Amino acid sequence: NGNGTLYKDDSGHTTTTDGVAWAGQGTFTYGTSTLKFTKSGTATFSFISGEDIYNLTQSTGNTLLLNGINDSGAILDFYGTLDMSGVKMTTTASNNIRFREGGNTLIIDNPSTALADLYRVRMHHSSGTNTVPECTVKRFEITAAGTTTLSGALTVTENAAAAFSQSAGTFNTSGSNHAVTVTGELDHTGGTFTSNSSTVTVRNLVITNTDSTTFNAPDGSGMLNITGEGNSGSGDGYAFRRVSGAFVDNSGTVTFKTPTTTQIRMGTA
């Protein structure tokens, strides 16, 4: 209770403590402070869906278990930088992380594990640029008008509809032409996807919804590989389907590696 006395129960049993029982370092300032997880081993961060934090740092050897206490699909919102020297973030359910402000560079020392357990990583910044280093995620989503730029290869492992989903903003593989690999569907319903000279590999590609949607395929120095077809929604039965929006070929090559006869449709229906 802040005065050195911890109340154990309603029957009046108390335990008096000294200062060692209380956190004695640091001042937390909402909107600017950094949460630091330094334990070697697993630490648990329990939060309510929609909880806002600024910076978060994981030290070497730390595994951070995200525990959304009010929602199995709880979302943790970042307004600052994620600096991960630790092993990974993991979750007991379908927890997500969402980036709400631009101008940040994510730091990930263990790209194959750091974010691979989370249900989804979402870029939801309305302006500015967030830079994403090499990493592996289950699902990747862009839902606001800011720019997301790669500084390393992005691997999306979920074999599902809309495993990579973009409904707004700009996604750019950068001038370094980092690879994008999506085990499932790339669902492009808004904004601009720019492949530069990268190798982009997806199960199936769906371009739908608005005329403002632009998918810039890799140029002649890159490659768009399509390895299968969709099994639900707008992509069901298609390796490639454009309902509306623009597909810009940039004089590049699209390679279909589907295991069976499939459908390709460039129309508007």
Side-chain angles (χ1 to χ4, degrees):
N1 69 346
N3 62 3
T5 300
L6 300 177
Y7 291 92
K8 284 186 172 182
D9 55 41
D10 293 334
S11 63
H13 296 99
T14 63
T15 300
T16 302
T17 65
D18 57 23
V20 175
W22 304 94
Q25 295 183 357
T27 299
F28 181 80
T29 303
Y30 182 82
T32 60
S33 287
T34 299
L35 292 176
K36 295 182 179 180
F37 292 88
T38 60
K39 177 183 178 180
S40 181
T42 300
T44 300
F45 181 22
S46 295
F47 65 98
I48 295 173
S49 186
E51 180 117 5
D52 299 342
I53 63 173
Y54 195 64
N55 300 324
L56 187 148
T57 298
Q58 265 189 288
S59 296
T60 301
N62 177 256
T63 293
L64 182 59
L65 174 63
L66 298 185
N67 177 35
I69 59 177
N70 67 324
D71 186 345
S72 62
I75 300 171
L76 181 63
D77 282 323
F78 285 83
Y79 283 81
T81 297
L82 175 62
D83 185 345
M84 297 183 70
S85 297
V87 178
K88 63 180 178 178
M89 282 188 182
T90 189
T91 175
T92 57
S94 300
N95 296 157
N96 303 249
I97 60 173
R98 178 169 61 186
F99 294 90
R100 299 296 299 267
E101 294 287 345
N104 295 300
T105 298
L106 284 64
I107 301 170
I108 296 175
D109 288 354
N110 294 293
S112 64
T113 62
L115 302 175
D117 286 356
L118 299 181
Y119 183 81
R120 180 185 292 111
V121 175
R122 182 182 300 172
M123 311 307 292
H124 192 67
H125 52 293
S126 60
S127 62
T129 299
N130 280 337
T131 302
V132 178
E134 179 184 358
C135 62
T136 296
V137 298
K138 284 185 177 179
R139 297 170 179 85
F140 192 81
E141 188 173 36
I142 303 170
T143 54
T147 297
T148 300
T149 298
L150 298 185
S151 63
L154 175 65
T155 301
V156 182
T157 61
E158 196 71 7
N159 187 12
F164 184 115
S165 174
Q166 182 182 1
S167 60
T170 298
F171 176 83
N172 197 313
T173 64
S174 85
S176 297
N177 305 311
H178 296 294
V180 176
T181 303
V182 184
T183 302
E185 179 179 88
L186 195 159
D187 185 26
H188 192 212
T189 63
T192 301
F193 186 108
T194 301
S195 306
N196 300 294
S197 298
S198 297
T199 297
V200 177
T201 302
V202 301
R203 184 191 70 187
N204 66 298
L205 173 62
V206 179
I207 303 172
T208 63
N209 197 27
T210 66
D211 290 337
S212 62
T213 302
T214 302
F215 185 93
N216 289 298
D219 61 25
S221 297
M223 178 76 72
L224 174 59
N225 296 314
I226 297 178
T227 62
E229 61 183 32
N231 53 21
S232 63
S234 297
D236 191 10
Y238 292 92
F240 174 72
R241 185 181 184 191
R242 184 183 71 85
V243 177
S244 62
F247 176 82
V248 182
D249 62 42
N250 291 308
S251 300
T253 300
V254 180
T255 301
F256 291 90
K257 300 179 179 180
T258 54
T260 61
T261 301
T262 190
Q263 297 184 74
I264 302 168
R265 187 164 186 170
M266 287 293 290
T268 57

